[in-house]
Amino acid sequence: MATLVSVWLSLMTVMTVNSEIILNMTLREEEPVSTVVGNIASMSGLQNNMTPEAFQSLRYSFLDQTKTDDLFRVDNEAGDLLTNAVIDREKQCGFNQECVFKFDVAAHSSVNSRFEIISVRVTLLDINDHIPTFPYAIVNKSLSESAVIGSTIQLDEALDLDSTPQNGIQSYTMITTDSPFLFSATKATEGVSLQLKLNSAINRENQDQYVLNILAVDGGSTPRTGTLTVKVEVTDENDNAPQFYQDVYDVSLREDREIGFQVIQLSASDKDIGQNGLVTYKFNPRQSFLTEINEYFNINETNGKIVLKNKLTQSSTRKQYNITVDASDMGQPPKVSQCVVRVAIIDVENNKPLVRITLLSTGNTGAVSESSSVGTVIAHVTVEDSDSGSNGIVTCQIASDNFQLQSVLNKGYIVVIQQPLNRELSDKYNLSVECSDQGAPPLSTVATIVVPISDENDNAPQFYKTLYQASIRENNAFGDGITQVLARDQDIGQNAEIIYILPPDSKDKLAINEETGVITANYRFDRENVSSYFFHVLAVDKGNPALTGTATIQLTVVDENDNKPTFNVPMFQFFVMENMGPQLKVGSLSASDLDEGDNQKILFDFHSDFKNLPSSQMPFEIRPSGIISTKRDLDREDRNKYSFDIVAVDQGTPRLTSTCRVVVYVADQNDNKPFITFPLFSNQTVKVSQQAKIGTIVTQIRAYDLDEIGPNSQLRYSIIGGNEKDVFSIGETSGNIYLKRTYEITENTPFKLRINVSDMNISHMQSSFKDLSIILTLPPPIPQVLDEGGTKNIIITIAVVVLTIVLSAVIITVIIILRRNDQKILKTKNQDDVAKTMYSAAPVGGCISPNLDKIPSDKVTSIVDSPRKKKGVSFTFDEESLQISHNDQMGQGQKEDSFHCKQNNAKDLNTLFLGNIGRSSFKQQDNMSDSSGEITTSDSGRGGSDLDLSLHLSKSDERPPRRGFKFKRNSDQDSRARASHYENINYVNTHYPQINNQREAIPPRPPRHNSDNEVQFHSEDSQTNPSYV
């Protein structure tokens, strides 16, 4: 029998590969313990090459029992492979397509020492032992009644734990018919997408819920199914207006009724629910006689009762009031309907009607279910009146919003439900019916009965709070308490029993006790990552069907001081103006801290290395708020930059700090006046010939400013006094003083000019003033050369006279004479040496200049005009330097006026700096200035004039590219016979020096950057950096 079972349960094959025995067996899952999988002895084929006795002596055992996981065992003697446990394929192999157990069995004999290793492979086959299962058996969904056709509801797919596809889920189907939904199951990237699609319009007032059943079917030989129940609740939209039961109500009212008398109670119903179905009443504000209606009548907004507000007076002549009443719901936007109440005022006395109310339920206290629909009859009203005529005509009305009286022909009235009942609002109703006859006056009777209401599970649990605000400190421990939620259910009994659960998306961070509602932490929170969370918690009652309430938990993560302050920049840089006094705000420090509260509050201070330094080293102070201000005046010329470290400290516990570097740059303020280096008090006189041409540069004003390069140090020159005759002008930026016009004099005439040098700071200009004396001199007599201007005047005079006497012939003659004279003048001009003004220089090579004070002023001209041999200095230019040759050849009579120099005169001259130098090859005759006949312009023989005469320079003196030159003084023995001369790059002017005066030294300005106001020595094609004066 065991052999038959094993054959039926397994399929066995034998393979021999290179003398290795491999046995393949199959086994279905879930077979009972001790099921025979196969016989290793018979399947191995060992009996074919062994004697029966040797074969019977073989014993069988696992080589490695761990590989079988205790799922199989081997009969030691018979060689049967049996199951040792009930094997679940899904547990052992999951959803793998193949499930194979591989192990080795040893066959060995103690009789003949035979030993064989048999490899066994058992394939475990899947059976259909699992049914498809949805995540939830019942799913509640909602859809608005205004949803458009094609709207979808997504459903979760089912899961089948069988591991092979043929036993897995094969199809889905919706077994519910006659619904407005279509069901579809679509293969998705991962799994199946289940959807309900709205196929037709839905109306909550017709049906407020749909119950749909979805079936999942697997592919087993005997298919197994799983069912999902989907409850789709149709949510309300305000698509219905309130409706009165009548368009016109006719009532009568005795004029002697007391205040508060109920005229009528109107009732309008709205098929919507909630706010959309809540009806309010009011008098239409646009009707006629509204003021009079409001005077006598009042309407209750909630129940529609119209009562007498003031007593009707005898003086009132109106016998009927037509009152228009609006019924409006609370939807957005609200919908409104109207009715008309016609109140007839009458007066009559008779018997009261007899009224009896009978409940249609068992007994007088039979309960009415709160789920009873609108229109259900709950009671019958019988009315009897023994009067006749109008006194016996009885009409009844009910004082209730929830119930309505309907007349039954000759059989009294029935009481029907007018609005849905709600036991939670009222578990019983006092039903009052008032019946009145039409006598004069009419009499009425009121009958009352109590109607109890039974409970239905129509209320979902409600939390005491819709939003719970809780907090927990960051870096918390698992299990720390957070808060407790509580809910109530307005139903009673089992319908009000509640359990608490968390949605799946909240369970990774929270845990809840389903009975007490206590919520604990299931996650370690970090405020800097997320500071606030919103979770949902559900309260589910035990009614049928169960209803669910939802609340929100706002969880705030309380901060701990676990973050240092962080500066917004790697280094702070501020700029502050000098000389602005103490308590000047320099700037504000800023830093941020990811913490909050005191942990985020940051105070600033100096780093300990920079605290308590004297103000001379640290002229700043830092407020806790981070504002840096000065403690004293700052001077950029003293120090233009300060660097120090600051710390930002939060106020948490413990306090955390960060450090940053601050650099403060001191900006320049125009706090230095220009310093004028020429003219000086000891050197302020220059001379210029009265015959100098207009535009001649008389001299140059020199100055500098210690302020920073820019408008504060850029200089502007002007003449503010002494130039009333308007003889001179000054270059505004160059400082060159020009001869502006010809001025006739009869003797040497001094002009004392007041020079103003100011910087270009518009808001705070600084200025300096110096006096400059310019002597306009008469030219010395030069008999050898006829003055060019005089010659021209004579020729013009002769020409004019001749023109007055002779017309045509004289004109020709004059032209010939003019041409000949011009040729003579040009020839004479080319033969003359061209004069040039020189700047005075300090003594060179140990030479000592004589004292000019000892020479009479009247001797200067004679010295210039003297034909005797002269001592001069010649300039030789090359690319590297400018050489000066010194000629010592002089007459004996002039030794007392000559230079007394040492024998070694080969020393280098100091580098000279000349501004606005032009071409070295340009030459122009200069006999205009008295200083042209001297080595230097003088002031009582002591100062140099720094003349730079040019007929081609404008007042702006734009400067060409420049090259610096060195001047050297050399002795040239071969040049003794020729006259000494100086060469200036602007022009050449021959000088006949008689006295070399030592010039007063000018205070040097410190080295600084280039500016437009600095005088430099340069050549026109220079590309090298200039030197500064």
Side-chain angles (χ1 to χ4, degrees):
M1 182 64 183
T3 304
L4 292 176
V5 171
S6 63
V7 171
W8 180 75
L9 293 176
S10 61
L11 176 65
M12 297 168 287
T13 60
V14 181
M15 297 177 60
T16 303
V17 180
N18 297 330
S19 300
E20 180 183 0
I21 301 173
I22 300 175
L23 304 183
N24 293 313
M25 304 179 184
T26 58
L27 174 68
R28 294 198 307 172
E29 66 171 330
E30 305 293 342
E31 293 295 335
V33 178
S34 299
T35 297
V36 176
V37 182
N39 185 269
I40 298 174
S42 61
M43 293 176 64
S44 64
L46 295 176
Q47 67 273 23
N48 297 330
N49 54 4
M50 297 179 65
T51 63
E53 294 77 9
F55 180 72
Q56 292 296 328
S57 66
L58 290 176
R59 297 295 180 264
Y60 303 90
S61 63
F62 289 115
L63 280 182
D64 188 355
Q65 183 67 41
T66 59
K67 292 187 176 181
T68 64
D69 294 329
D70 296 327
L71 299 179
F72 301 95
R73 58 187 176 85
V74 177
D75 188 315
N76 188 34
E77 296 182 358
D80 289 332
L81 178 65
L82 304 99
T83 60
N84 202 34
V86 176
I87 304 175
D88 186 352
R89 189 181 191 277
E90 287 72 33
K91 181 179 179 181
Q92 297 298 327
C93 300
F95 290 92
N96 293 328
Q97 293 299 311
E98 291 187 357
C99 185
V100 180
F101 297 94
K102 298 179 181 180
F103 49 86
D104 294 330
V105 175
H108 53 89
S109 174
S110 59
V111 176
N112 55 9
S113 302
R114 184 69 178 266
F115 182 84
E116 294 289 343
I117 296 177
I118 303 171
S119 297
V120 180
R121 298 176 182 174
V122 179
T123 301
L124 190 61
L125 304 178
D126 183 48
I127 64 173
N128 191 22
D129 56 341
H130 292 89
I131 64 173
T133 304
F134 287 92
Y136 298 97
I138 300 175
V139 175
N140 293 309
K141 301 289 184 179
S142 63
L143 189 65
S144 172
E145 64 176 331
S146 64
V148 298
I149 295 176
S151 299
T152 60
I153 298 175
Q154 193 72 31
L155 302 175
D156 294 330
E157 64 175 311
L159 177 66
D160 193 319
L161 295 179
D162 289 319
S163 57
T164 56
Q166 58 269 25
N167 290 331
I169 297 174
Q170 303 297 316
S171 64
Y172 292 89
T173 183
M174 183 171 70
I175 60 178
T176 302
T177 59
D178 192 22
S179 78
F181 295 94
L182 294 178
F183 173 75
S184 64
T186 307
K187 190 72 175 177
T189 304
E190 295 184 0
V192 179
S193 174
L194 306 183
Q195 282 187 344
L196 289 174
K197 184 176 182 181
L198 187 63
N199 191 42
S200 61
I202 54 178
N203 190 336
R204 189 207 62 80
E205 288 72 34
N206 294 335
Q207 186 172 348
D208 61 356
Q209 189 183 60
Y210 295 90
V211 180
L212 310 174
N213 292 317
I214 309 299
L215 204 64
V217 183
D218 67 16
S221 58
T222 302
R224 308 185 72 173
T225 62
T227 303
L228 170 66
T229 299
V230 183
K231 295 183 178 180
V232 181
E233 180 184 357
V234 182
T235 59
D236 186 51
E237 294 290 334
N238 192 26
D239 54 349
N240 292 282
Q243 295 294 325
F244 287 99
Y245 291 98
Q246 298 173 219
D247 293 333
V248 178
Y249 292 86
D250 290 310
V251 296
S252 58
L253 178 65
R254 289 179 52 167
E255 61 182 357
D256 60 348
R257 288 293 186 185
E258 297 294 327
I259 296 174
F261 177 77
Q262 178 176 312
V263 178
I264 191 174
Q265 182 174 7
L266 301 175
S267 179
S269 61
D270 193 316
K271 293 182 180 181
D272 295 320
I273 59 174
Q275 292 292 103
N276 298 331
L278 187 62
V279 181
T280 60
Y281 305 88
K282 66 178 180 179
F283 293 138
N284 187 286
R286 291 179 293 276
Q287 62 184 311
S288 302
F289 308 106
L290 178 63
T291 303
E292 190 173 351
I293 292 172
N294 286 328
E295 180 182 358
Y296 289 107
F297 300 98
N298 187 32
I299 187 168
N300 189 303
E301 290 186 354
T302 57
N303 57 28
K305 288 182 180 180
I306 299 177
V307 297
L308 197 60
K309 183 177 181 182
N310 289 309
K311 225 174 152 127
L312 296 172
T313 62
Q314 295 293 335
S315 60
S316 176
T317 59
R318 189 176 299 280
K319 298 303 179 182
Q320 180 171 312
Y321 292 92
N322 294 327
I323 304 174
T324 302
V325 178
D326 290 347
S328 173
D329 60 27
M330 304 296 287
Q332 293 297 329
K335 293 183 177 294
V336 181
S337 62
Q338 295 178 340
C339 75
V340 176
V341 179
R342 295 188 296 209
V343 182
I345 309 301
I346 58 174
D347 43 319
V348 87
E349 184 171 345
N350 55 21
N351 296 316
K352 294 181 178 181
L354 180 63
V355 181
R356 292 191 304 272
I357 303 175
T358 304
L359 287 175
L360 298 182
S361 57
T362 303
N364 291 336
T365 58
V368 177
S369 173
E370 65 174 333
S371 63
S372 298
S373 61
V374 174
T376 301
V377 180
I378 66 166
H380 180 262
V381 179
T382 302
V383 182
E384 295 179 1
D385 194 323
S386 58
D387 296 326
S388 60
S390 60
N391 293 338
I393 300 175
V394 180
T395 58
C396 299
Q397 60 184 10
I398 189 169
S400 175
D401 296 333
N402 298 91
F403 303 98
Q404 182 185 25
L405 279 180
Q406 293 181 1
S407 176
V408 180
L409 183 62
N410 297 326
K411 297 295 181 180
Y413 297 87
I414 58 175
V415 179
V416 299
I417 298 175
Q418 180 176 263
Q419 292 185 1
L421 304 178
N422 191 337
R423 188 206 62 79
E424 289 71 34
L425 296 179
S426 177
D427 60 355
K428 61 183 178 181
Y429 291 89
N430 294 321
L431 191 61
S432 297
V433 177
E434 181 181 17
C435 296
S436 302
D437 59 23
Q438 297 182 10
L443 299 178
S444 62
T445 301
V446 177
T448 302
I449 192 172
V450 177
V451 181
I453 307 299
S454 62
D455 185 53
E456 295 290 337
N457 190 27
D458 57 348
N459 288 280
Q462 291 183 343
F463 285 91
Y464 285 92
K465 300 177 183 178
T466 57
L467 176 64
Y468 287 85
Q469 294 180 331
S471 63
I472 187 171
R473 298 192 71 83
E474 64 176 330
N475 306 319
N476 60 284
F478 285 77
D480 285 354
I482 295 177
T483 189
Q484 182 180 17
V485 296
L486 291 175
R488 62 181 181 277
D489 196 314
Q490 294 181 358
D491 295 321
I492 58 176
Q494 184 175 343
N495 295 336
E497 295 180 10
I498 298 173
I499 61 173
Y500 302 94
I501 60 176
L502 291 171
D505 59 351
S506 301
K507 291 182 179 179
D508 59 338
K509 292 182 174 61
L510 303 178
I512 192 170
N513 186 307
E514 67 176 15
E515 295 181 357
T516 63
V518 174
I519 297 176
T520 56
N522 196 31
Y523 174 78
R524 189 180 300 276
F525 294 93
D526 183 0
R527 191 202 66 81
E528 286 72 35
N529 186 18
V530 180
S531 62
S532 180
Y533 294 85
F534 285 89
F535 301 101
H536 293 291
V537 60
L538 307 178
V540 184
D541 63 25
K542 296 184 179 180
N544 186 18
L547 300 178
T548 302
T550 305
T552 301
I553 301 175
Q554 181 182 3
L555 179 60
T556 301
V557 183
V558 179
D559 185 51
E560 287 189 346
N561 193 26
D562 54 352
N563 290 279
K564 291 183 178 181
T566 303
F567 290 99
N568 302 330
V569 294
M571 180 179 70
F572 290 95
Q573 298 185 72
F574 301 110
F575 295 84
V576 64
M577 187 68 68
E578 64 174 337
N579 302 321
M580 296 303 290
Q583 300 305 315
L584 173 67
K585 180 180 177 181
V586 176
S588 295
L589 304 172
S590 59
S592 59
D593 196 312
L594 294 177
D595 296 318
E596 63 180 3
D598 286 342
N599 298 335
Q600 188 186 41
K601 185 177 180 182
I602 299 174
L603 300 181
F604 299 90
D605 199 354
F606 285 106
H607 189 275
S608 57
D609 294 344
F610 295 89
K611 270 190 174 182
N612 303 322
L613 293 178
S615 60
S616 59
Q617 299 181 31
M618 180 55 63
F620 304 103
E621 60 184 5
I622 300 178
R623 299 177 190 171
S625 61
I627 294 178
I628 301 177
S629 57
T630 59
K631 294 195 295 185
R632 62 172 176 83
D633 270 341
L634 302 178
D635 188 352
R636 187 198 68 83
E637 287 74 27
D638 178 35
R639 185 172 177 180
N640 62 0
K641 185 177 79 170
Y642 295 86
S643 299
F644 53 88
D645 292 334
I646 56 97
V647 292
V649 185
D650 64 26
Q651 301 304 297
T653 303
R655 297 186 176 184
L656 303 178
T657 64
S658 296
T659 304
C660 187
R661 171 54 61 99
V662 176
V663 179
V664 180
Y665 296 91
V666 182
D668 185 49
Q669 191 181 49
N670 195 19
D671 56 346
N672 289 282
K673 292 183 178 181
F675 186 82
I676 301 174
T677 60
F678 178 80
L680 299 174
F681 179 75
S682 59
N683 185 15
Q684 58 182 2
T685 302
V686 295
K687 294 181 180 181
V688 65
S689 174
Q690 181 263 344
Q691 291 185 348
K693 290 186 177 182
I694 295 174
T696 299
I697 299 176
V698 179
T699 187
Q700 184 184 39
I701 306 301
R702 300 178 185 177
Y704 63 86
D705 195 313
L706 289 174
D707 288 317
E708 188 176 19
I709 292 177
N712 294 344
S713 62
Q714 293 176 356
L715 303 182
R716 181 183 289 113
Y717 303 85
S718 62
I719 300 173
I720 61 174
N723 195 28
E724 291 76 10
K725 305 296 184 179
D726 198 23
V727 179
F728 304 100
S729 64
I730 190 168
E732 187 179 51
T733 58
S734 66
N736 290 334
I737 294 180
Y738 303 90
L739 188 63
K740 186 176 182 181
R741 70 182 183 86
T742 302
Y743 185 70
E744 298 295 334
I745 59 174
T746 58
E747 61 181 5
N748 293 351
T749 303
F751 292 85
K752 189 172 184 180
L753 305 182
R754 184 66 171 170
I755 305 299
N756 174 30
V757 181
S758 59
D759 55 37
M760 295 189 183
N761 187 308
I762 298 175
S763 60
H764 183 65
M765 183 181 296
Q766 296 275 19
S767 300
S768 295
F769 305 91
K770 280 293 178 69
D771 291 332
L772 175 65
S773 181
I774 300 179
I775 300 176
L776 194 61
T777 63
L778 293 172
I782 306 177
Q784 294 86 349
V785 179
L786 182 63
D787 180 76
E788 183 181 350
T791 303
K792 288 184 178 180
N793 290 336
I794 293 172
I795 295 174
I796 293 172
T797 302
I798 295 172
V800 171
V801 173
V802 172
L803 280 173
T804 58
I805 300 173
V806 188
L807 295 176
S808 305
V810 175
I811 291 174
I812 296 172
T813 305
V814 171
I815 291 173
I816 295 172
I817 294 172
L818 287 175
R819 285 184 178 178
R820 290 178 180 177
N821 289 339
D822 285 343
Q823 290 176 356
K824 291 179 181 180
I825 292 171
L826 182 59
K827 185 176 181 180
T828 304
K829 187 175 182 179
N830 291 334
Q831 292 174 353
D832 292 337
D833 293 326
V834 181
K836 185 178 192 305
T837 304
M838 286 297 299
Y839 288 93
S840 61
V844 181
C847 297
I848 302 174
S849 63
N851 191 348
L852 193 60
D853 293 338
K854 298 179 180 180
I855 302 176
S857 59
D858 58 350
K859 297 296 183 179
V860 175
T861 302
S862 63
I863 294 175
V864 174
D865 297 333
S866 175
R868 59 183 141 177
K869 294 182 180 180
K870 309 168 183 64
K871 175 185 177 182
V873 179
S874 65
F875 286 61
T876 303
F877 290 85
D878 56 25
E879 282 297 313
E880 300 298 330
S881 62
L882 181 62
Q883 304 293 330
I884 301 176
S885 300
H886 184 73
N887 190 344
D888 291 333
Q889 206 171 18
M890 297 183 62
Q892 293 294 329
Q894 289 82 31
K895 288 185 178 180
E896 65 274 15
D897 298 329
S898 65
F899 289 92
H900 301 279
C901 304
K902 296 181 181 179
Q903 187 174 0
N904 184 9
N905 292 325
K907 294 183 178 179
D908 291 344
L909 294 174
N910 292 331
T911 302
L912 303 178
F913 302 102
L914 301 176
N916 306 313
I917 299 177
R919 292 169 166 260
S920 61
S921 60
F922 179 78
K923 295 183 179 182
Q924 175 67 39
Q925 185 177 0
D926 178 19
N927 294 321
M928 304 302 180
S929 172
D930 284 353
S931 61
S932 63
E934 301 173 349
I935 294 177
T936 63
T937 57
S938 62
D939 178 14
S940 302
R942 290 189 301 268
S945 66
D946 289 76
L947 289 178
D948 185 11
L949 302 179
S950 174
L951 299 179
H952 302 280
L953 294 179
S954 68
K955 294 177 68 176
S956 60
D957 273 343
E958 292 297 331
R959 207 179 274 116
R962 41 192 170 241
R963 174 184 296 171
F965 291 93
K966 284 188 178 181
F967 290 75
K968 293 184 180 181
R969 181 183 180 192
N970 296 320
S971 177
D972 188 356
Q973 298 297 331
D974 297 331
S975 62
R976 295 178 184 268
R978 64 176 181 265
S980 299
H981 63 275
Y982 289 92
E983 289 188 358
N984 184 301
I985 294 179
N986 285 335
Y987 52 85
V988 177
N989 189 1
T990 303
H991 297 268
Y992 299 94
Q994 296 178 3
I995 300 175
N996 185 14
N997 297 326
Q998 182 178 0
R999 188 166 110 177
E1000 179 179 340
I1002 297 173
R1005 69 168 287 168
R1008 48 161 303 174
H1009 296 291
N1010 186 15
S1011 73
D1012 291 339
N1013 298 307
E1014 293 165 348
V1015 181
Q1016 303 168 8
F1017 290 89
H1018 55 274
S1019 67
E1020 191 173 33
D1021 58 346
S1022 173
Q1023 299 298 324
T1024 59
N1025 293 329
S1027 300
Y1028 304 103
V1029 174

